[in-house]
Amino acid sequence: MGDVEWVIEGHGPRRVERRHSVSATVACALAEPLDTTADDEPLRSHDLVGSALERAARLVGFTPHPGLEYRLCAHRADHHPPLAPVLRDIGGINMFFALEPHGPAPGWEAVVRGGLTGAPLAARVEGVRARLAALFGGRPGDVEWRVGASLYQQGLASRVLSPVLAAAVCHGVHLEPGNLFVPLDGPTAVRTLDTEARPLDPTGEEEAAVGPVERAVDGLGVVSEALVDLGRVAPGLLRGNTASALAGAARSLGGARPDHRRRAEEVVRVLLERPALVGTGALVGTDAHGSATFRRTTCCLYHRIPGGGLCGDCALRP
C-alpha cells in the first residue's frame, strides 16, 4: 500500500464529522469485499454502507452515527513532528490538561466510541459516590446516584476537552478525540493513541480550532446517553456539565497562557451556539482579570452533598 494513511471518515453536510484511524491490516480486510485491488490511484475513497459499514465498525471499534455517510479513505501519509513536546507543554497548565502519550493497556476503553457504557460506567459512578461520601463521613448510598453520575461526567468532560482545546489553540494541533482512552477502574487518567502533532484542518483559523473540540463535545454526548440509560439523570444537566467543563478549560487556559485567551474563549462562544450545547449557558461578561465569565442554565447538583455549596457558574446563584 506504500506510504498511505487509512482512515474511516463520517461525512456530514458541511465537513468530516468523524475520523477513525485504520491499520493497514484492517484496511486490507475491508478493501477486499469493496474490490479496491483494481484501483491503482494513490488516494482512494470507498463508500461504507450496510454490511460493509457494520463490519468496519466492528473491526475498528466505533458506533456509526446516524445521518453520516461513511467512507474508507486512503491519504498520503504526511510525517508530522512528534506529539510528545505538545503534551508536555499543555500538561503543565493543570492536571485536567494532562494526557499520557501511551497506547491503552488492557482494561482501558475509548471515551467517545460508544464503549464506555453498561457495568463499567456504572462502576465508575459508584466510585465517585464513595469518594463524595467520604468527604462528609457518610456511605456511598448517602449520595444520590444522579449526583455521582453528574460529577463523574463533568470530570470526564474536563479531562477530555481541556487537552483537545489547548492543543488546538496553543499549538494548532488536532488531537483526535476518538483516540482518547480512560481506564475502567483505578485513578482517572487519559491516554492518546496519537503520536504525531497533526496540524488542524486548514478551514480558517477560528473554525479550525473549533473542529476537534466540537468532535470531542459530540463524542461526550455518547457517554451522557449511556448515563441516562443507566439511571435517573437529566440529559440537559449533562449537556450543561459539558458546557461548563469547556468554559472552565478555556478559563484555565487563558489564565495560564494569556496570549491564547481570546481564541480559547472564541471557541467556547462558537460551540455554545452549536446544536450539542445550545441553551446550556453563555459567556456573560468578564472578571477582574479580563477573563470571560460563564453562567450555565442548569446545576451539576454538587450542592446536594453536605457542605457542597454552589459552583461559580451555577444557575442557582443570584
Side-chain angles (χ1 to χ4, degrees), residues 214-230:
E214 184 172 25
R215 293 186 195 185
V217 168
D218 290 343
L220 286 164
V222 177
V223 181
S224 296
E225 290 171 5
L227 286 169
V228 171
D229 289 341
L230 281 173

Side-chain angles (χ1 to χ4, degrees), residues 273-301:
E273 297 298 323
R274 296 285 173 85
L277 297 182
V278 67
T280 58
L283 298 178
V284 294
T286 56
D287 63 15
H289 304 287
S291 296
T293 55
F294 175 73
R295 177 61 63 90
R296 60 186 291 176
T297 58
T298 57
C299 171
C300 71
L301 305 180

Side-chain angles (χ1 to χ4, degrees), residues 126 128-144 306:
E126 293 305 319
V128 171
R129 295 177 75 190
R131 289 191 292 276
L132 292 174
L135 295 176
F136 59 88
R139 298 169 298 176
D142 296 330
V143 177
E144 297 172 78

Side-chain angles (χ1 to χ4, degrees), residues 185-206:
D185 55 34
T188 298
V190 185
R191 291 181 176 179
T192 178
L193 288 175
D194 291 344
T195 59
E196 295 184 338
R198 182 162 65 91
L200 298 172
D201 295 332
T203 54
E205 180 178 343
E206 301 296 350

Side-chain angles (χ1 to χ4, degrees), residues 20-259:
H20 307 282
S21 298
V22 177
S23 68
T25 301
V26 170
C28 286
L30 294 173
E32 190 171 62
L34 292 169
D35 192 24
T36 62
T37 55
D39 189 346
D40 294 329
E41 293 298 320
L43 300 183
R44 305 192 283 275
S45 177
H46 301 277
D47 292 338
L48 292 173
V49 295
S51 60
L53 177 57
E54 293 175 2
R55 186 181 186 200
R58 185 172 63 253
L59 288 173
V60 179
F62 70 95
T63 301
H65 192 276
L68 297 185
E69 297 180 354
Y70 284 86
R71 299 170 193 162
L72 172 66
C73 301
H75 301 280
R76 290 189 181 90
D78 297 320
H79 297 290
H80 305 299
L83 180 63
V86 173
L87 299 186
R88 284 196 297 270
D89 177 60
I90 64 176
I93 296 174
N94 66 43
M95 62 175 288
F96 290 104
F97 292 81
L99 195 58
E100 298 179 2
H102 310 293
W108 289 64
E109 185 63 66
V111 179
V112 303
R113 295 185 188 175
L116 193 58
T117 184
L121 183 58
R124 274 300 194 183
V125 173
E126 293 305 319
V128 171
R129 295 177 75 190
R131 289 191 292 276
L132 292 174
L135 295 176
F136 59 88
R139 298 169 298 176
D142 296 330
V143 177
E144 297 172 78
W145 189 90
R146 61 177 180 149
V147 175
S150 170
L151 297 183
Y152 169 74
Q153 184 265 349
Q154 182 156 341
L156 179 68
S158 294
R159 295 300 298 264
V160 168
L161 294 172
S162 295
V164 174
L165 175 69
V169 169
C170 297
H171 295 275
V173 167
H174 179 115
L175 278 178
E176 176 52 52
N179 289 339
L180 300 181
F181 286 72
V182 293
L184 296 181
D185 55 34
T188 298
V190 185
R191 291 181 176 179
T192 178
L193 288 175
D194 291 344
T195 59
E196 295 184 338
R198 182 162 65 91
L200 298 172
D201 295 332
T203 54
E205 180 178 343
E206 301 296 350
E207 182 66 22
V210 167
V213 184
E214 184 172 25
R215 293 186 195 185
V217 168
D218 290 343
L220 286 164
V222 177
V223 181
S224 296
E225 290 171 5
L227 286 169
V228 171
D229 289 341
L230 281 173
R232 182 174 172 268
V233 60
L237 180 155
L238 299 178
R239 292 175 62 242
N241 285 354
T242 301
S244 177
L246 177 59
R251 183 179 180 85
S252 295
L253 174 57
R257 310 287 166 82
D259 290 347

